[in-house]
Amino acid sequence: MYYYKDNPNIIVFDHPLLKHKITLMRDENTGTNEFRKMVEEIAMLMGYEALNDLPTENVTVKTPIETCESPVISGKKLVVVPILRAGLGMVEGILHLVPSAKVGHIGLYRDPETHQPHEYYCKLPSSLEERLIVVTDPMLATGGSGTAAVDFIKQHGGKHIKFLSIIAAPEGIEALAKAHPDIQIYVAQVDRELNKDAYICPGLGDAGDRIFGTK
Ligand code: PRP
Ligand code: URA
């Protein structure tokens, strides 16, 4: 892993296994089933690293040999917040790691002409201010959707936010980090640039369509 432009809040995972899986995802011949599996696996691998600072507390446990003090995850339940639709593909990966997590949803779509995000759904758990919130979206392109989603979460009281995205454009990372310098942004790949339609190049196309087999 490395810090993007030396910013310790922007973590890029450059693990060979992630790179390999991203290459499979990019391939236009990769079908829906395999694509979906890759998104879930990558989310789990990223989540494992991104959650390496979860707080713990000791409990007493009796092993077959003796009684000891041993750590468990402490604090209020974590919340996963996928940005609909494509972020949904990453949820199961995180839930494999933290099965008791709550799941909120933020529905946003990009206007095809202006590329601006439009909200159509928002449902978040209570006591957000006391919880760690993991926002998922495989693509960080202009950063408009990510920024809007974090805005909503903060309006609902969320404070401790980690944003997980598989492929990012430099423009998107910079926009999100500028709008929300207090959150941690984790990406597995920084691609070259956006094209005139605000798609990531080389990217993988429309993540939502590829996960759900639409279009
Ligand atoms: C995609 C993607 C992100 C957004 C990224 O969603 O899943 O949410 O675009 O672009 P941005 O950084 O420029 O905002 P889209 O709006 O296509 O909706 P979908 O997931 O329903 O397909
Ligand atoms: N959304 C996607 O799904 N793909 C892109 O390349 C940009 C935004």
Side-chain angles (χ1 to χ4, degrees), residues 83-87 108-111 115 117 120 137-146 172 194 198-199 206-209:
I83 301 178
L84 308 183
R85 290 174 299 169
L108 293 171
Y109 72 89
R110 288 199 318 179
D111 182 289
H115 312 139
Y120 58 88
D137 193 333
M139 310 304 276
L140 185 54
T142 64
S145 305
L194 296 177
Y199 272 81
D206 187 305
D209 284 342

Side-chain angles (χ1 to χ4, degrees), residues 56-198:
T56 61
E57 65 185 341
N58 275 349
V59 295
T60 306
V61 60
K62 190 170 177 306
T63 80
I65 310 298
E66 62 179 39
T67 298
C68 68
E69 294 288 299
S70 192
V72 292
I73 304 296
S74 65
K76 280 228 178 241
K77 287 195 175 80
L78 180 146
V79 186
V80 188
V81 180
I83 301 178
L84 308 183
R85 290 174 299 169
L88 281 174
M90 297 175 72
V91 173
E92 280 301 315
I94 308 292
L95 292 180
H96 285 314
L97 301 169
V98 192
S100 62
K102 292 176 179 278
V103 182
H105 295 87
I106 295 180
L108 293 171
Y109 72 89
R110 288 199 318 179
D111 182 289
E113 301 298 325
T114 65
H115 312 139
Q116 291 303 304
H118 291 271
E119 184 209 349
Y120 58 88
Y121 190 75
C122 182
K123 184 84 180 171
L124 298 167
S126 60
S127 310
L128 271 193
E129 60 285 352
E130 297 171 56
R131 303 180 189 278
L132 171 62
I133 299 150
V134 177
V135 184
T136 61
D137 193 333
M139 310 304 276
L140 185 54
T142 64
S145 305
T147 300
V150 176
D151 283 341
F152 285 130
I153 291 168
K154 287 185 174 174
Q155 283 159 20
H156 285 78
K159 288 188 168 61
H160 188 188
I161 301 166
K162 292 177 187 270
F163 193 99
L164 265 61
S165 199
I166 298 177
I167 299 186
E171 296 91 327
I173 300 183
E174 281 162 28
L176 181 58
K178 188 166 177 220
H180 295 292
D182 54 322
I183 70 168
Q184 290 164 305
I185 303 168
Y186 298 87
V187 303
Q189 172 72 41
V190 183
D191 268 4
R192 194 179 68 247
E193 61 185 355
L194 296 177
N195 67 14
K196 64 172 177 34
D197 298 318

Side-chain angles (χ1 to χ4, degrees), residues 17-43 46 86 89-90 137-139 165-167 188-189 202-208 210-211:
L17 286 173
L18 290 176
K19 286 179 188 292
H20 180 90
K21 289 176 195 298
I22 288 171
T23 301
L24 298 178
M25 287 174 68
R26 289 194 197 278
D27 188 337
E28 64 178 4
N29 294 315
T30 297
T32 304
N33 186 19
E34 203 189 345
F35 189 91
R36 217 182 264 148
K37 269 200 286 197
M38 291 299 140
V39 174
E40 185 177 322
E41 282 176 20
I42 291 173
M46 291 181 72
M90 297 175 72
D137 193 333
M139 310 304 276
S165 199
I166 298 177
I167 299 186
Q189 172 72 41
L204 47 73
D206 187 305
R210 296 198 63 187
I211 291 170

